[in-house]
Amino acid sequence: MASPSAVPDTFTRAVAALRADSPRPEILLEEIAAPQRLAPYSFALSATVLRSGDEVASGRLILLHDPAGHDAWRGDLRLVTLVTAELEPDLATDPLLPAVAWTWLTDALEQFSASYTAIGGTVTETASTRFGELAGPAPTADLEVRASWTPTSDDLAAHLCGWCAMLASTAGLPPPGVASLADRHRAPAS
């Protein structure tokens, strides 16, 4: 990474927008080391999503900046994400899940008017059953969303809000201000 005095204004403004507070209290954001070989400038956040105190999803959001631009990005900034979440095992077999999971990202970006171009990614579902010495808990299922897109401006606050909304959807959190039935019927700890 270049010396701080040489950091482009575009990158500085983009990082400042990503350092804003998390839009939801259930999503804990933390700065982490960014990959250094993907672009001349990079910044990264990790996210942990909690529901009733349990971690139910996690993610990373990486900002890449190449002042010279990048043809495949169609710009000089790129956001890259990886989000993983636990699923109910019966959801892992739903053939519509990948398409729905993709719309969690695109709808969230649209909801916050986070304009972008050159979006692409994958949605992966995995189901695991343990046997032999590893036998134990019931089968598990996970969802993984990998995506990248090029913001059309360096004001990334809307992209951060959209990404957090996608994390919330992936984790099965209710909309802000709405309590889930499971949370409302949970007995108080004694």
Side-chain angles (χ1 to χ4, degrees):
M1 185 141 200
S3 69
S5 63
V7 175
D9 288 341
T10 297
F11 182 71
T12 301
R13 283 190 303 273
V15 169
L18 292 178
R19 283 187 168 141
D21 289 334
S22 171
R24 292 194 61 158
E26 306 95 330
I27 300 175
L28 307 175
L29 298 178
E30 181 180 8
E31 290 183 31
I32 58 173
Q36 298 298 306
R37 296 187 177 151
L38 300 177
Y41 302 92
S42 59
F43 175 80
L45 292 172
S46 72
T48 303
V49 184
L50 302 174
R51 187 175 57 222
S52 302
D54 295 326
E55 181 178 333
V56 292
S58 63
R60 289 187 306 243
L61 182 66
I62 301 167
L63 167 65
L64 304 174
H65 176 56
D66 186 341
H70 197 288
D71 289 341
W73 299 353
R74 295 188 221 154
D76 60 2
L77 292 172
R78 188 78 173 162
L79 288 168
V80 179
T81 190
L82 166 65
V83 172
T84 59
E86 299 173 20
L87 292 174
E88 296 295 324
D90 57 325
L91 287 178
T93 59
D94 186 335
L96 299 177
L97 181 62
V100 169
W102 184 253
T103 65
W104 291 336
L105 173 61
T106 57
D107 288 354
L109 292 173
E110 183 177 314
Q111 175 188 355
F112 289 95
S113 300
S115 59
Y116 61 87
T117 187
I119 193 168
T122 62
V123 176
T124 305
E125 310 145 280
T126 58
S128 301
T129 305
R130 298 171 184 238
F131 296 96
E133 293 295 319
L134 297 177
T140 60
D142 295 295
L143 178 74
E144 177 182 278
V145 179
R146 293 178 182 264
S148 63
W149 64 95
T150 299
T152 56
S153 83
D154 59 8
D155 180 3
L156 300 186
H159 292 270
L160 176 65
C161 289
W163 181 66
C164 286
M166 188 265 289
L167 279 163
S169 294
T170 305
L173 295 180
V178 176
S180 75
L181 291 176
D183 290 340
R184 296 182 87 189
H185 291 98
R186 197 177 301 269
S190 35

